[in-house]
Amino acid sequence: MKRLVAPGLLMLAGFVFLVATIVENLFAVGSDFEEMIDDFRPILTDQSIAGLRADLVGLDAAAVEFQTRVVPAMADRLGMTPEAFDQLVETEFPAVADGLALLLDTGPTFAGLIDLLDQQQDNFRGADAIPTENLPAETMPWGFTAVGALAVALGVYLFWRPSLPAAISAIVIGLLIAVGSFVVSLPDKSGDADDLNAALEPVYTVGTVEEAEAALGVLGAMGREMATEMLPALARRLGMSPGELGGFLAENFPATAQGLQTLPAALGPFRGLVDTFDANLDNYDTLQPVKFTPITWILIIGGGVIALAGGLALLRRDEEEAPTAAMHLDAEGGWGPRLP
């Protein structure tokens, strides 16, 4: 029975690694995780988030200024009430009316998403370094499979033929896995990945992505209609050229003028953000149910078991060799250590 303990532990640890690889779907998880991390990496930077926040602040300021200052001023110049001017916009320029209303409603939603991404930068950096900064996450399932197969093979070998090299190999492999996991901070990185996953779960849905895509479509239509139809029509009604109207807006309503000028460029980063979320919906569906921390502890504990099995095999080999040496000395007619 003693002879079975070390090989049994090795084979058990190996089977746990192999089963965990299959049950946790690690090959799909590793591939989808790496693809998603690669796509989001350019977005989750200080520069990118600051740019998104600045663009959103500019658009929000333009929408508020348009409603609170431009509408009354234009209505006064046209001899209308603000309510009548609003009705004119809704009737003749419906895309503009829809876009302004949507921007005021969805601005806080986009701001909340930007804040979330900003808050998750540290967690993202930790998750991005799994298992190390130089090794992609796709190597994890191959590592689990290789270690599992090697542990089973060592167990079988030690069962049939107790061997010093095999026992030492098990100790070294186990310690490399267990200690190495702490050296590269895998528990901390796994916790970061789980925290990131939990933070994204409420917002990363098909419905949220579809709503964001629809909102960008409405805002894009607003920008086109405002530039090509509404502003030229207002210029004619006011007896101005489009250039004169643009100068009037820039002088009196700088946020609106700036928003009109930068709207297409400002929507670009948001469209890139939404497209990235959309392109990775399938990847997130794979990752959403996965908990990385338990997987990491399977790796650490499994490595410890492999090292323990190697140590037991080494001790067992010493116990078996000691009486064999004594019997050999007795057969030669003497007690005590064998001389070289």
Side-chain angles (χ1 to χ4, degrees), residues 7-8 20-21 25 29 36 44 52 110 138 147 150 162 171 180 186 210 220-221 244 316 321 329 331 337:
T21 302
N25 197 23
V29 168
M36 184 172 171
L44 283 160
L52 287 169
F110 276 107
E138 291 171 310
V147 171
L150 184 57
I171 295 172
L186 263 186
E210 289 178 347
E244 290 172 335
R316 182 60 185 164
E321 285 185 346
L329 290 170

Side-chain angles (χ1 to χ4, degrees), residues 178-266:
V179 177
S181 296
F182 288 103
V183 170
V184 300
S185 302
L186 263 186
D188 291 337
K189 295 174 184 177
S190 299
D192 291 342
D194 288 338
D195 289 344
L196 177 63
N197 194 347
L200 289 177
E201 187 174 357
V203 301
Y204 206 160
T205 66
V206 174
T208 302
V209 172
E210 289 178 347
E211 288 176 8
E213 289 177 336
L216 289 175
V218 171
L219 294 177
M222 176 193 74
R224 289 189 296 272
E225 185 176 73
M226 186 174 284
T228 61
E229 298 181 35
M230 181 178 172
L231 292 180
L234 287 177
R236 288 193 298 270
R237 287 173 182 257
L238 294 169
M240 298 179 176
S241 68
E244 290 172 335
L245 178 59
F248 170 77
L249 291 175
E251 182 178 353
N252 296 280
F253 310 106
T256 300
Q258 182 69 18
L260 291 171
Q261 183 177 359
T262 62
L263 179 61

Side-chain angles (χ1 to χ4, degrees), residues 145-165:
T145 302
V147 171
L150 184 57
V152 171
L154 283 173
V156 173
Y157 185 81
L158 283 172
F159 174 76
W160 290 108
R161 185 178 178 181
S163 165
L164 179 62

Side-chain angles (χ1 to χ4, degrees), residues 62 64-75 85 249 253 256:
V64 171
E65 184 181 74
F66 188 88
Q67 291 285 18
T68 59
R69 297 185 59 204
V70 175
V71 168
M74 289 295 173
F85 185 82
L249 291 175
F253 310 106
T256 300

Side-chain angles (χ1 to χ4, degrees), residues 24-303:
E24 297 291 347
N25 197 23
L26 290 187
F27 279 101
V29 168
S31 176
D32 291 358
F33 180 84
E34 191 63 32
E35 183 176 346
M36 184 172 171
I37 286 289
D38 286 344
D39 287 349
F40 274 92
R41 191 178 294 118
I43 296 172
L44 283 160
T45 64
D46 290 337
Q47 182 179 359
S48 176
I49 290 174
L52 287 169
R53 199 186 300 280
D55 288 339
L56 185 61
V57 168
L59 291 174
D60 183 64
V64 171
E65 184 181 74
F66 188 88
Q67 291 285 18
T68 59
R69 297 185 59 204
V70 175
V71 168
M74 289 295 173
D76 182 64
R77 280 178 166 267
L78 294 171
M80 306 170 66
T81 64
E83 293 75 16
F85 185 82
D86 283 336
Q87 185 61 45
L88 172 68
V89 173
E90 290 179 9
T91 302
E92 298 188 16
F93 313 106
V96 173
D98 291 343
L100 288 171
L102 181 67
L103 186 57
L104 292 173
D105 288 340
T106 61
T109 301
F110 276 107
L113 177 59
I114 294 170
D115 289 341
L116 175 64
L117 295 177
D118 190 14
Q119 294 161 6
Q120 294 302 312
Q121 283 192 87
D122 287 342
N123 285 334
F124 179 84
R125 280 190 284 268
D128 190 15
I130 293 176
T132 70
E133 293 183 358
N134 298 319
L135 289 176
E138 291 171 310
T139 60
M140 289 293 289
W142 289 106
F144 263 73
T145 302
V147 171
L150 184 57
V152 171
L154 283 173
V156 173
Y157 185 81
L158 283 172
F159 174 76
W160 290 108
R161 185 178 178 181
S163 165
L164 179 62
I168 293 176
S169 296
I171 295 172
V172 172
I173 292 169
L175 289 177
L176 284 175
I177 295 170
V179 177
S181 296
F182 288 103
V183 170
V184 300
S185 302
L186 263 186
D188 291 337
K189 295 174 184 177
S190 299
D192 291 342
D194 288 338
D195 289 344
L196 177 63
N197 194 347
L200 289 177
E201 187 174 357
V203 301
Y204 206 160
T205 66
V206 174
T208 302
V209 172
E210 289 178 347
E211 288 176 8
E213 289 177 336
L216 289 175
V218 171
L219 294 177
M222 176 193 74
R224 289 189 296 272
E225 185 176 73
M226 186 174 284
T228 61
E229 298 181 35
M230 181 178 172
L231 292 180
L234 287 177
R236 288 193 298 270
R237 287 173 182 257
L238 294 169
M240 298 179 176
S241 68
E244 290 172 335
L245 178 59
F248 170 77
L249 291 175
E251 182 178 353
N252 296 280
F253 310 106
T256 300
Q258 182 69 18
L260 291 171
Q261 183 177 359
T262 62
L263 179 61
L267 291 181
F270 286 97
R271 187 166 299 282
L273 174 63
V274 174
D275 287 346
T276 299
F277 270 91
D278 187 26
N280 285 280
L281 274 169
D282 289 343
N283 291 335
Y284 187 69
D285 284 343
T286 300
L287 301 174
Q288 191 273 329
V290 176
K291 303 299 182 186
F292 289 89
T293 298
I295 295 173
T296 295
W297 282 106
I298 288 174
L299 182 68
I300 293 171
I301 295 172

